[in-house]
Each structure stands twice: as structure tokens, then as C-alpha cells.
Amino acid sequence: MTSPVALVTGGSSGIGESTARALLAKGFTVYAVARRVDRMADLAAAGVHAFAMDVTDDDSMVAGIDRIIDEQGRLDVLVNNAGYGSYGAVEDVPIDEARRQFEVNVFGLARLVQLVTPHMRAQRSGRIINISSIGGKFYEPFGAWYHATKFAVEGFSDSLRMELRPFGIQVVLIEPGPIRTEWNEIARDSLLERSGDGPYASYAHRARGVMERFDEPSRASTPEEVADKIVKAALAKRPAARYPVGRGARTITTSRDLLPDRFFDEVVSRTYGTR
């Protein structure tokens, strides 16, 4: 029997790297892509097909999908994991940076969906797993652009699920809570870079402290825990539409569904010191 074929974006570290290893262990033929191939040397040594892909470069994405189809003749699972968090007050974040946040987190994801769908449709099977976040369900100060991208991924994926169901293609959302990866450090550094001085400075520094606390082992989960959930979504005969994963993820998403906006605003404001 031919091994199922999976593509994992953002494979150079964190959730992407852990997912590539977990899928490989389950018998998948795995392709992992990222901008920096050198950071995927260990994956390549383990048997993962690693090559460069930039999700903001259309030619790069087209060439990558063509390569997989040429080599394997099919693609069964796409894990859209590439993404980052751009933080700072809306007033301070340049619009060009906001656009880049959408290019990476939303439009790159969407373009890969467009590229793999014809092949999955021809197979009458396939699974698209989009890595969202609990940040696609709630909000926080200084994260407006990041949260906007994840809210977009949620709506995009829900609509896509309806479109592709008749063709045997299943669409799944993964909603991680705080995870111990370099994502948090990059996000909080960008926060101070853009809003560490000026009218938002005191609030931005408080918010950075909150973000640092979410790196503590008691508050954050590991990339491997998310990878296990992704593998579950990839293998389930009838996967759920969405999988919250990590410490507090389900509690936060459920509370956002149940609590009035005014009450939720108060909780977030107290947490971040913006009352």
C-alpha cells in the first residue's frame, strides 16, 4: 500500500517540525517546507523531504506543489502551519507590516489551498489542516493585526469546509493555546519595537510581561502536544471541524462563546492592565 503524502509548512521549528516528525512516525511520506532549509537538516536526516518554500512567493509555492505531485503523484494532507505574530498598537504598526501579516498568515495559506485542491479533488480525497489559534476566538490589546488574521483563517476554513465536502476533501482547524515556541518571543519583541516608546509604552511593557508569563511550563504546552492533535486530525475517519489544544485552550474558547462582550473586555483589560 502506498504511504499517504503530507506537506507541512513552517517546518523549520516548533509546531511544524514536531508535526513533520509525528507524521513520519505514523508512516506518512512527509514534505516539510520553510524559507530556511538549513534549519531543517535534522528533519532531512530523519527521512523528511525538506526544501525551501516562501508562502509570500507564488512561484515558490507553485514549484513546491508541482515537485510533490511529480515525485509522489498525489498529496493527501496539507498542514498550513506557517505564520507569525506581529504585535504593537494599531496606531504604531506600519500598514506594510500589517499587509505582510496577512500575506503570511492568510493569503499564503489560501494560495496553497488553491494549488492543492485540484489534485485532492481528482483523488476524491484529501485533508486540509489549517493551524489557527485560540487567538481566532478572542482578542487582546496590541494584537489586533495578528488576531485579525486568525479570525480570517477561522471564517475561511469554515466556508472552505462546506465547499470541499462534496469532493471528499475534509477541512480541519487546529486552535492552539499558549505553546512554548519562538513565536511568543518574536511577538513580544515586535510589540516593544513598535510601541515600547510613546503614548502606549507603559501598557505595552505590561503586556509584554503577560506574554512572558505564558512561556512558563505551567501555562504553556509543548509543540509535540499540538503535533499529536494534528496527527489525530489527519488520521480520524470523521475529524472534528476544530480542535482546541493546549493548556486552557478549550476553557478560553468556551468562555468567549458564553460570556458577554462587556464582561470579557473587563477580564482582558484586568489581565493586560489597560483598564
Side-chain angles (χ1 to χ4, degrees):
M1 180 179 176
T2 305
S3 299
V5 180
L7 168 62
V8 181
T9 69
S12 61
S13 65
I15 293 171
E17 179 182 0
S18 296
T19 300
R21 292 185 185 278
L23 288 168
L24 187 69
K26 290 294 185 180
F28 281 79
T29 297
V30 181
Y31 286 78
V33 297
R35 289 183 301 166
R36 292 183 55 182
V37 179
D38 58 300
R39 295 184 64 179
M40 297 188 288
D42 288 346
L43 284 180
V48 172
H49 302 271
F51 64 90
M53 180 186 288
D54 183 344
V55 298
T56 67
D57 182 332
D58 196 70
D59 289 343
S60 172
M61 290 185 280
V62 170
I65 299 304
D66 286 348
R67 171 178 169 173
I68 295 169
I69 298 302
D70 287 344
E71 293 179 357
Q72 304 297 333
R74 63 185 298 113
L75 180 60
D76 300 288
V77 176
L78 167 64
V79 181
N80 268 317
N81 169 68
Y84 75 107
S86 184
Y87 274 60
V90 169
E91 183 180 350
D92 295 333
V93 176
I95 286 297
D96 283 348
E97 169 56 23
R99 289 193 180 99
R100 181 174 182 273
Q101 177 86 140
F102 270 85
E103 285 292 340
V104 174
N105 290 8
V106 181
F107 297 121
L109 172 153
R111 181 57 176 144
L112 282 172
V113 167
Q114 289 182 328
L115 292 171
V116 306
T117 294
H119 303 289
M120 292 182 173
R121 186 163 40 76
Q123 298 164 188
R124 303 293 299 184
S125 68
R127 198 154 299 185
I128 296 169
I129 301 175
N130 291 332
I131 310 305
S132 178
S133 166
I134 59 170
K137 291 292 192 180
F138 83 111
Y139 45 87
E140 60 189 332
F142 307 111
W145 292 114
Y146 171 73
H147 287 277
T149 65
K150 292 305 183 181
F151 271 70
V153 169
E154 293 274 327
F156 175 86
S157 300
D158 284 336
S159 294
L160 185 69
R161 190 172 62 252
M162 299 294 97
E163 290 180 20
L164 297 185
R165 177 180 289 171
F167 302 101
I169 305 169
Q170 295 163 308
V171 179
V172 180
L173 280 158
I174 304 293
E175 299 170 333
I179 307 297
R180 293 197 297 278
T181 68
E182 62 184 10
W183 183 97
N184 197 329
E185 182 179 358
I186 292 169
R188 62 183 185 250
D189 284 352
S190 70
L191 167 59
L192 291 194
E193 178 185 344
R194 299 193 177 97
S195 298
D197 298 307
Y200 299 96
S202 62
Y203 301 110
H205 282 273
R206 289 178 198 169
R208 186 184 195 280
V210 173
M211 295 171 77
E212 283 183 329
R213 290 197 292 275
F214 282 115
D215 269 346
E216 297 170 2
S218 61
R219 296 171 180 261
S221 301
T222 66
E224 289 76 18
E225 290 176 72
V226 184
D228 288 344
K229 194 71 72 170
I230 293 169
V231 170
K232 178 180 179 180
L235 294 175
K237 186 175 181 180
R238 296 182 63 188
R242 48 186 29 87
Y243 291 88
V245 55
R247 289 181 177 83
R250 190 172 294 278
T251 299
I252 291 172
T253 56
T254 300
S255 66
R256 181 65 194 105
D257 289 338
L258 297 177
L259 295 176
D261 289 345
R262 189 184 299 274
F263 187 87
F264 201 85
D265 283 358
E266 184 68 16
V267 172
V268 175
S269 294
R270 285 180 179 273
T271 300
Y272 286 86
T274 56
R275 297 181 67 244

